[in-house]
Amino acid sequence: MVNILIFSLIIGLISAILIIPFTKKKPSKKDTKTAQKPLSIGAISTLLALIMIGTFAFYYFSNLDQNISSLWIFMIVVSALGAVIASGKERIIKGVIFLGSLVFGIYLLSAPFFNANEKFEYADMKESVEIKAFDETKTPASVPPEFARNKMKKAFGQVPNTSYYELGHLQIQKVNGEFVYIAPVEFSGFFKWLNGDEIPGYFTLSATDSSKNPKFIKSEMTYTPSSYFNKKVERHIRMNYPKHIFYGDVQLEIDEEGKPYYIRTYGQFVSARNGFKVEGIVMVDPKNGETQDYKLADVPSFIDGAVSPETVSLQNSYYGNYIHGFWNSIFGKSDVKLPSDEGTEANVSPIFDENGDMYYFTDFTSPKEGVDSMLGYSLTNSRTGKATYYTGNLEESYMDSQGALQIIEKKFIEKKWHGEMPVLYNFYGEASWLTPVLDSNGFLQNYFIVSAANPEISVYAATPNEALKNYKIALQKGGSSVDGTSNAEEKTVSGTVVRVYKEKTGDFTIVSFLLDNRKNFVITSENQPLAIYLQENDKVTITYLETGESFLPVKEMVIEELE
């Protein structure tokens, strides 16, 4: 509070000096009886007080950074007014100040036209062809946010004094090795804040298992986004860091003991109060208001989203639009690629790699209307801000996220189901969209997987792992080698069939069988027509992929009794 008071006092004094004339205006020869009277001390004090109050109110409620450059519009107006009121040499001096502030204002307004190359250089990404293959023995964090919010709302009865509160912003995080959604409880209005004073806690929900129920964790929080005045966490941060440049909303992060913290990303302007370059975070203990400033390299390990999704979305925009400067992004649009707006957080979707590190996923498409082919996709590390742009197989045309959502909409057009949170994975060496499917009420119905290069190959199932199993078979039927998994070592084994299970799917049969080595295998009759004759006690020699799954995919099979 002291910082903003001092800032307001300084601005008030400078404004008073610029507005109040200090030299008497000489009367004209025709009007020698009238002369300019100097302003009284009371008038000067009143003017100073009004400017101070106005400045304080503006910066207090707007949470704008308290840098002199943020006053450029105010300085233009005040210096212009001072130049008009003044006379003689004083008018000349204040006129020069006015012209200087006007030039500075023009410089700030024109910055977007000239710093596009600098923005692109800052956001430039290293390039690669394809992401690593997904380990199919694991479950992707694929529970959609809309479904998670619905489950948390239905569990709101766990919150004490429920009528005071509502569900806050939802985000994903890794806590104790598990991927979970976190959502704080927030005040539902000003009078509820007056009566409640503190937030009772937050909800957690598994981001991988849709069958699990939300848990309410009690943890009192005073400094929150829904609090008011000095207890509002954004204002509390601004009061402690008046000159920091923040970008993006505050986010709730949970440490390994379940203690919550609010964080906010800060950085610098690219140039002239335009653009943004991330540098670090400010972390707040919402219980007692203690704050800590961390550079990105020093951010505590439990924090996953040090770089706000809004910052990543901005960087994607720089990278996609400004490859050849600002004017090309408006007119020629040569090599321009537009980041998708299908993400779940500020147009990006958080996902986790095999090491449990969080990345923000975004696909890029052409600026031409009616084109749903993907030009590439990016993954941005949520702790460092470093990004990689993946071109995909240049010999194939990949469908973008919007195309995947349209396929789902057509597939379930009668039921009016829709997809949410499409994310591109490398399943068995095939670039594939995994998308949760929700009904009109926001409840999860199934998981849909479709090949980005071959949209005619698609499956859906009740769980991600079941969908993966079906997808593996669909790829085999579609002629894919299905050999891209991260753990897929090709092996050959001989043995005796112990059990056989056959399932008809369309024109083909899926054959699952157990060998005497106690391993399970699966094969489709489309690739191996004689598999339909497989019986118990048959001796077989098979070539399969060691994916680590319960049922291992068979590439080739020889049944000795049929040779």
Side-chain angles (χ1 to χ4, degrees), residues 348-422:
V348 297
S349 294
I351 63 174
F352 292 86
D353 68 3
E354 66 276 7
N355 299 317
D357 297 326
M358 193 169 87
Y359 288 80
Y360 292 113
F361 167 83
T362 310
D363 64 303
F364 291 75
T365 189
S366 171
K368 294 182 179 179
E369 294 185 5
V371 178
D372 62 358
S373 61
M374 184 176 66
L375 300 180
Y377 55 98
S378 68
L379 289 178
T380 304
N381 189 293
S382 63
R383 283 177 56 87
T384 66
K386 295 180 180 180
T388 301
Y389 180 78
Y390 297 90
T391 61
N393 188 341
L394 297 177
E395 296 179 359
E396 297 180 335
S397 178
Y398 286 176
M399 171 180 60
D400 65 8
S401 57
Q402 186 61 41
L405 294 175
Q406 289 173 356
I407 288 178
I408 293 173
E409 186 176 349
K410 293 177 182 178
K411 184 78 172 180
F412 305 105
I413 189 169
E414 294 183 358
K415 296 181 179 180
K416 297 182 179 180
W417 292 355
H418 65 279
E420 182 185 324
M421 198 178 72

Side-chain angles (χ1 to χ4, degrees), residues 27 51 57 63 70 108 114 119 134-135 160 165 174 223 234 241 344 349 393 408 418 510 542:
I51 294 175
N63 286 326
S70 65
L108 294 181
F114 303 108
K119 289 176 180 176
F134 181 78
D135 185 351
Y165 310 107
K174 183 182 69 173
Y223 297 86
E234 293 94 335
Y241 301 91
T344 58
S349 294
N393 188 341
I408 293 173
H418 65 279
I510 300 172
I542 59 173

Side-chain angles (χ1 to χ4, degrees), residues 16-47:
I17 292 172
L18 288 174
I19 295 176
I20 298 170
F22 291 93
T23 56
K24 294 182 180 181
K25 186 175 181 181
K26 295 180 180 180
S28 64
K29 293 180 179 180
K30 296 181 180 179
D31 191 12
T32 57
K33 294 183 180 180
T34 60
Q36 185 184 45
K37 295 182 180 180
L39 292 175
S40 65
I41 298 298
I44 295 175
S45 300
T46 301
L47 178 63

